[in-house]
Amino acid sequence: MSFFKSLILLILFIVAGPLASVAQRLIQRKQLFDHDWKFNLGDVKGGNSFEFDDQNWRTLDLPHDWSIEGKISPENPTGGDGGFFPSGTGWYRKKFVVPSDWKGRLISINFEGVYMNSEVFINGKSLGTYPYGYSAFTYDLSPYLNLGKQNIIAVRVDNSKQKNSRWYSGSGIYRHVWLMVTGQVHIPNWGVGISTPEVAEKKATIQIKTRVKNETALPKTVTVQTNLFDPGLKKSGAMQTQIRLDAHSEKEVIQDIQVEKPLLWSPKKPNLYQAQINIISNKKVIDGNQTDFGIRSLRFTTGNGFQLNGQTLKLNGGCVHHDNGCLGAAAFDRAEQRRVELLKAAGFNAIRTAHNVPSEAFLDACDRLGMLVIDEAFDGWKTAKNKYDYAMYFDDWWKKDINAMVLRDRNHPSVIMWSIGNEIIERKEPQAVHTAKMLVDAVHEIDSVRPVTSAMTTWDKDWEIFDPLMMQHDVAGYNYQLHRAIADHERVPSRIIVQTESYPRDAFANWKLVNNNSYIIGDFVWTALDYLGESGIGRWYYSGEVPGEHWENSFFPWHGAYCGDIDLTGWRKPISHYRSMLYNGNEKLYMAVREPAPEPLEIKETLWSVWPTWESWTWPGYEGKPLQVEVYSKYPMVRLYLNKKLMGEQKTSIAQEFKAVFTVPYTAGELLAVGVQDSKEVEKVILKTSANTDRVKLTADRSEISANGQDLVFVTVELTDKNGVLQPNSENRINFDIEGPGKIIGLDNANLKDVDSYISTSRRAWKGRALVVIKSTKSTGTIKLKASSPGLTEAAVVVRSSPEAIQHTLRY
């Protein structure tokens, strides 16, 4: 759940009559616990002790990832898998006072994600350990608190055992932490489940399952009052149910509420309803919960594929890891939302959260913006891929982690499927069939509506060996093997297929298979976004350099993956425009130029790469030499002009895969591609040759942010000539200065061979671009970012940091 959304967690529902006159002290039920932690990198003796002296430790706010702050080095034990970033062990401590009048309340702490092997202490008492770095977990603090006095929460985070991941994990308390305060009769965390079993144009049935716990020594009679509100906050349904709870017991209350003329949730119209649930005792609201949900139906069949609200929808999907580039794993709400915005703008309608559950903020953004999600749990089961990975914990922890995923995420309308694994090592062994059934049954025990998948692959001939394993799933996930689907359908006609990973270069072939076969519901490219770690996947290289795929050698200074449709600054690569053009109708013409090989060298590709292709007509040194110009088009024909001279025309229909390649001798000037429909030139795109780099240009993604110490602004940096044309060959070093209530927390340039620190005030541009991320403080005012580079005209951008709007929080 996002920070901003949780601040409006629930408006206390006050009804007319006696309830409205009840006087009571208001206590916030869910309180953000991110601010003013002490941090020490390195293990310490006694860090859990109440008396431990931490005054020399660093003070910081969460979310926090210490790995991204460290030096990228080939000596770091994370290796290429972890992006050559440091790991280690760290400690966090926070002092807080619990008011005396909280006596009798239940007080717990919820961690949305700690990577990894965390142990939490309250006033020196260990509350437990949690190995998996991606699951949320909660501890009850009540028995150990000093009311009216100071308390110490301490967290030891151990990410020292390497390797434990095949990608960049980050280290630390990298997601939000919350303090939960309730009465002893209450709705537990993740205690509300909402589904929409019947959806029609005139009426929908909303089923709300609410768990209520009585943690007193006496029986209690309470009323569960549920009110539904439409996207305009107009009341659309209500129900009250009275229950009796025995001492130290809990019950699940099931309420079916009819909503007339429902506004359905879909990627194009992501309508969100609210369920406000109050627990009432003696005419007082003693607890409550607000949950957003969407009214929508899901159906998966071989005849009609995936249907959302009765309409077949093909999934144009992308796999996404959890890092935010220069921010590392730190899951700031604005960064998570921006990722979804970038993916929507790139034409994706679906995301696979490879290979772990995402942050709550990410799923909240998917709900609000309209993005479908395959929510994935694990990269492995019982057999290890790395020495210290999840296989160490699977037998003891799989059920807790599956429950954590499904219970937390079940109310998100964006989530349409669950995934229980990725390319499991033991997938060819009989035990995998039993494990899969165990996991699928555990998911369906909580959620019987959504289907379960997992990703399988082999590059061998024994593909049919997976038939028993695939039978345990509702939807069969294929990694890179969609070409087998037609033969598989003949052999197993009941199988519903989704390609859970694919090579970027196979976009057209996969689109054609998805488009022409109802039982194939979509394709998820590896990947939608570049990411840290798995260093060198998607790279291209030059003859004479170390050859091979990313798993075969160390390719330092490569420290990330360049196989994404979108790079780490948010720039859409040419392949992104091509893929979106295949699936969507809003983009019909695009042009880029294939990088020429620097003779006598050759450019070599790897499996996940596409040829390096750029939006550039600035190629000094290649005058008169032939360059390959790629034009992607949904028009029947395109024409290409160089300096107003027609260089040729080509068909760009489906037979040409909507693509034309022109060979053009390079001459500086203006390159113009034109889409032709019915012999008329109807759309054009232009590339201009840039003169020498003259100035810096800054563009902020927002002009105003909240002064809450959490909000972010992303500033795009471009180096241009005097006419404002991007100079794509510029790699000037840019220095940044900031004034006002903001702080630079990340710099990036998308060059995964640049090992400069991501936490700095200086960065080289790459391909004429860079990115600056600024975080607000808790003060209001004007933030001014200045960017300068020797010999260039400097630039500045101003952002206002304003008070947050008055928010209503759940109080009782």
Side-chain angles (χ1 to χ4, degrees):
M1 184 173 293
S2 73
F3 172 60
F4 305 109
K5 174 180 164 187
S6 62
L7 281 178
I8 52 172
L9 185 61
L10 183 62
I11 301 171
L12 176 62
F13 185 77
I14 300 179
V15 297
L19 241 162
S21 62
V22 174
Q24 53 182 316
R25 187 185 186 282
L26 300 182
I27 299 175
Q28 187 173 316
R29 186 184 200 268
K30 186 175 183 179
Q31 304 178 19
L32 190 68
F33 210 56
D34 281 354
H35 298 292
D36 300 321
W37 287 75
K38 291 285 190 176
F39 171 70
N40 180 76
L41 180 55
D43 209 355
V44 294
K45 186 176 181 179
N48 60 315
S49 170
F50 185 93
E51 296 80 13
F52 185 86
D53 183 4
D54 59 17
Q55 64 178 343
N56 293 325
W57 286 17
R58 173 183 168 193
T59 301
L60 54 76
D61 294 340
L62 306 177
H64 174 241
D65 171 12
W66 79 68
S67 288
I68 198 67
E69 300 172 344
K71 183 179 179 181
I72 302 169
S73 169
E75 303 302 317
N76 287 325
T78 56
D81 287 348
F84 302 103
F85 284 86
S87 52
T89 300
W91 279 86
Y92 298 83
R93 287 168 56 89
K94 180 179 170 69
K95 299 176 182 178
F96 65 105
V97 175
V98 177
S100 299
D101 57 4
W102 284 14
K103 185 177 181 180
R105 304 288 184 187
L106 298 178
I107 303 164
S108 59
I109 189 167
N110 174 258
F111 292 87
E112 288 192 15
V114 183
Y115 202 92
M116 61 176 295
N117 286 315
S118 63
E119 184 171 9
V120 179
F121 303 86
I122 179 67
N123 296 329
K125 168 68 176 178
S126 176
L127 297 174
T129 59
Y130 210 103
Y132 197 38
Y134 299 107
S135 288
F137 55 93
T138 300
Y139 293 118
D140 182 11
L141 304 180
S142 308
Y144 316 106
L145 293 173
N146 301 313
L147 298 180
K149 300 178 181 179
Q150 191 173 85
N151 296 270
I152 298 288
I153 191 92
V155 184
R156 182 179 184 267
V157 185
D158 184 0
N159 193 21
S160 63
K161 293 182 174 62
Q162 294 294 334
K163 301 177 180 179
N164 59 51
S165 178
R166 297 189 304 115
W167 58 89
Y168 177 86
S169 65
S171 302
I173 308 178
Y174 68 102
R175 292 178 181 168
H176 292 309
V177 179
W178 301 91
L179 203 65
M180 312 291 291
V181 186
T182 71
Q184 294 193 44
V185 179
H186 64 103
I187 302 170
N189 194 32
W190 307 331
V192 174
I194 302 177
S195 60
T196 53
E198 296 179 14
V199 177
E201 183 179 347
K202 292 184 178 181
K203 185 183 294 185
T205 300
I206 316 303
Q207 185 172 92
I208 301 99
K209 296 180 178 180
T210 304
R211 280 197 303 134
V212 185
K213 294 187 74 172
N214 175 16
E215 301 198 39
T216 73
L218 298 173
K220 298 287 183 180
T221 298
V222 299
T223 297
V224 179
Q225 178 194 69
T226 299
N227 296 283
L228 304 184
F229 297 88
D230 70 14
L233 295 182
K234 180 181 178 181
K235 193 171 180 180
S236 57
M239 180 174 284
Q240 292 193 158
T241 305
Q242 189 177 82
I243 59 170
R244 185 181 188 278
L245 294 163
D246 293 334
H248 301 293
S249 70
E250 66 178 84
K251 282 187 179 179
E252 183 176 74
V253 177
I254 300 177
Q255 297 172 314
D256 289 334
I257 303 177
Q258 305 295 316
V259 172
E260 303 290 335
K261 296 181 180 179
L263 300 171
L264 302 187
W265 186 96
S266 70
K268 291 185 177 180
K269 294 183 178 180
N271 294 303
L272 289 176
Y273 282 71
Q274 293 178 2
Q276 294 183 3
I277 304 168
N278 295 314
I279 308 302
I280 300 172
S281 176
N282 297 323
K283 299 183 180 181
K284 293 181 181 180
V285 177
I286 60 172
D287 195 24
N289 175 287
Q290 176 177 294
T291 300
D292 288 352
F293 67 97
I295 300 176
R296 48 95 176 113
S297 66
L298 307 177
R299 192 161 183 250
F300 297 78
T301 63
T302 55
N304 293 306
F306 166 59
Q307 291 180 297
L308 179 68
N309 302 327
Q311 300 296 315
T312 296
L313 182 64
K314 295 294 188 178
L315 301 178
N316 174 29
C319 299
V320 175
H321 272 313
H322 71 296
D323 73 83
N324 273 297
C326 63
L327 303 181
F332 292 98
D333 291 0
R334 173 57 196 155
E336 299 292 76
Q337 177 171 318
R338 177 178 177 265
R339 283 200 294 158
V340 181
E341 291 171 351
L342 291 172
L343 293 162
K344 284 281 288 188
F348 289 106
N349 65 8
I351 293 167
R352 174 180 173 231
T353 66
H355 301 294
N356 48 264
V357 291
S359 71
E360 293 186 60
F362 187 79
L363 290 182
D364 285 341
C366 291
D367 291 344
R368 291 193 306 272
L369 299 174
M371 181 67 75
L372 305 171
V373 176
I374 298 178
D375 201 346
E376 189 157 271
F378 309 123
D379 188 39
W381 296 342
K382 294 174 179 288
T383 304
K385 295 179 179 178
N386 278 311
K387 184 176 181 180
Y388 297 107
D389 68 14
Y390 191 71
M392 295 178 64
Y393 313 106
F394 181 85
D395 286 338
D396 294 329
W397 286 89
W398 70 267
K399 186 67 180 293
K400 297 182 184 70
D401 289 318
I402 283 288
N403 286 353
M405 175 180 74
V406 182
L407 287 171
R408 192 199 74 172
D409 297 346
R410 59 183 165 165
N411 297 322
H412 289 280
S414 56
V415 177
I416 60 168
M417 266 190 282
W418 307 106
S419 173
I420 54 175
N422 173 68
E423 297 182 2
I424 303 305
I425 291 293
E426 65 270 32
R427 58 189 179 271
K428 294 183 181 181
E429 302 172 16
Q431 63 158 308
V433 177
H434 300 292
T435 303
K437 184 180 187 308
M438 177 178 74
L439 293 169
V440 171
D441 288 347
V443 172
H444 283 326
E445 185 179 339
I446 302 170
D447 179 8
S448 60
V449 175
R450 295 178 180 90
V452 178
T453 188
S454 72
M456 285 169 269
T457 196
T458 184
W459 283 266
D460 301 325
K461 295 180 180 180
D462 54 351
W463 177 249
E464 294 180 20
I465 197 175
F466 293 133
D467 284 355
L469 182 56
M470 288 184 178
M471 284 181 63
Q472 302 304 317
H473 299 75
D474 304 303
V475 175
Y478 286 32
N479 278 9
Y480 312 102
Q481 304 298 317
L482 197 60
H483 58 277
R484 302 180 188 264
I486 293 175
D488 286 359
H489 180 65
E490 293 178 359
R491 187 178 74 257
V492 190
S494 62
R495 181 178 297 171
I496 302 167
I497 298 169
V498 62
Q499 183 156 239
T500 35
E501 290 181 26
S502 64
Y503 297 115
R505 68 180 61 163
D506 291 339
F508 178 82
N510 290 322
W511 168 80
K512 195 172 181 181
L513 283 166
V514 170
N515 198 52
N516 292 343
N517 298 283
S518 62
Y519 53 89
I520 304 175
I521 64 174
D523 173 44
F524 287 73
V525 68
W526 191 268
T527 58
L529 294 163
D530 284 352
Y531 56 95
L532 300 175
E534 201 164 17
S535 303
I537 186 174
R539 76 186 182 109
W540 72 95
Y541 62 98
Y542 303 97
S543 50
E545 295 183 344
V546 178
E549 299 295 336
H550 59 281
W551 69 83
E552 295 178 313
N553 289 295
S554 171
F555 296 107
F556 186 86
W558 280 96
H559 59 277
Y562 199 73
C563 52
D565 278 22
I566 304 169
D567 75 15
L568 290 183
T569 66
W571 178 69
R572 290 177 64 190
K573 302 173 189 176
I575 186 63
S576 169
H577 296 270
Y578 182 62
R579 188 184 319 282
S580 181
M581 208 175 286
L582 292 173
Y583 286 90
N584 302 294
N586 60 330
E587 188 173 7
K588 300 185 72 174
L589 189 67
Y590 177 83
M591 175 173 57
V593 179
R594 289 166 63 93
E595 181 177 317
E599 296 179 355
L601 302 180
E602 296 177 348
I603 293 177
K604 306 285 187 179
E605 288 196 71
T606 53
L607 282 172
W608 279 265
S609 73
V610 294
W611 192 277
T613 307
W614 311 100
E615 294 174 3
S616 170
W617 192 241
T618 305
W619 299 95
Y622 287 91
E623 288 78 5
K625 295 181 180 179
L627 297 183
Q628 302 292 308
V629 180
E630 292 189 352
V631 182
Y632 313 143
S633 168
K634 275 297 188 75
Y635 296 102
M637 184 174 291
V638 294
R639 294 172 186 156
L640 187 70
Y641 297 86
L642 176 58
N643 296 327
K644 300 184 179 180
K645 179 182 178 181
L646 180 64
M647 306 304 292
E649 64 179 28
Q650 293 187 35
K651 293 180 179 179
T652 49
S653 67
I654 191 171
Q656 291 78 37
E657 302 183 3
F658 309 113
K659 185 184 297 186
V661 179
F662 296 88
T663 301
V664 180
Y666 175 65
T667 302
E670 182 177 281
L671 194 65
L672 172 69
V674 180
V676 180
Q677 181 86 47
D678 298 326
S679 301
K680 295 181 180 180
E681 297 185 350
V682 294
E683 185 180 350
K684 64 182 180 181
V685 292
I686 299 172
L687 293 175
K688 293 182 179 180
T689 302
S690 176
N692 293 333
T693 309
D694 182 77
R695 59 195 58 193
V696 184
K697 178 183 177 182
L698 299 179
T699 306
D701 68 339
R702 293 188 295 162
S703 60
E704 185 174 8
I705 59 175
S706 296
N708 56 16
Q710 291 273 341
D711 207 2
L712 308 179
V713 59
F714 290 78
V715 181
T716 299
V717 184
E718 295 177 298
L719 300 183
T720 75
D721 66 10
K722 63 182 180 180
N723 297 315
V725 178
L726 180 75
Q727 176 35 273
N729 303 318
S730 293
E731 296 191 357
N732 303 54
R733 180 166 291 279
I734 310 164
N735 300 307
F736 300 97
D737 294 294
I738 192 166
E739 300 172 359
K743 179 182 179 182
I744 296 172
I745 62 167
L747 297 180
D748 210 335
N749 61 9
N751 182 3
L752 291 164
K753 292 190 284 185
D754 183 349
V755 295
D756 274 6
S757 175
Y758 286 97
I759 311 299
S760 179
T761 57
S762 173
R763 188 86 180 187
R764 285 191 178 277
W766 187 61
K767 303 297 179 182
R769 295 184 180 85
L771 179 73
V772 184
V773 186
I774 299 169
K775 181 167 77 77
S776 68
T777 67
K778 298 168 195 172
S779 299
T780 61
T782 299
I783 302 169
K784 185 175 184 179
L785 177 71
K786 297 179 181 178
S788 61
S789 185
L792 304 183
T793 301
E794 67 180 35
V797 68
V798 172
V799 177
R800 294 188 305 277
S801 183
S802 303
E804 291 187 279
I806 296 174
Q807 306 284 357
H808 297 276
T809 57
L810 171 61
R811 301 173 187 274
Y812 58 87

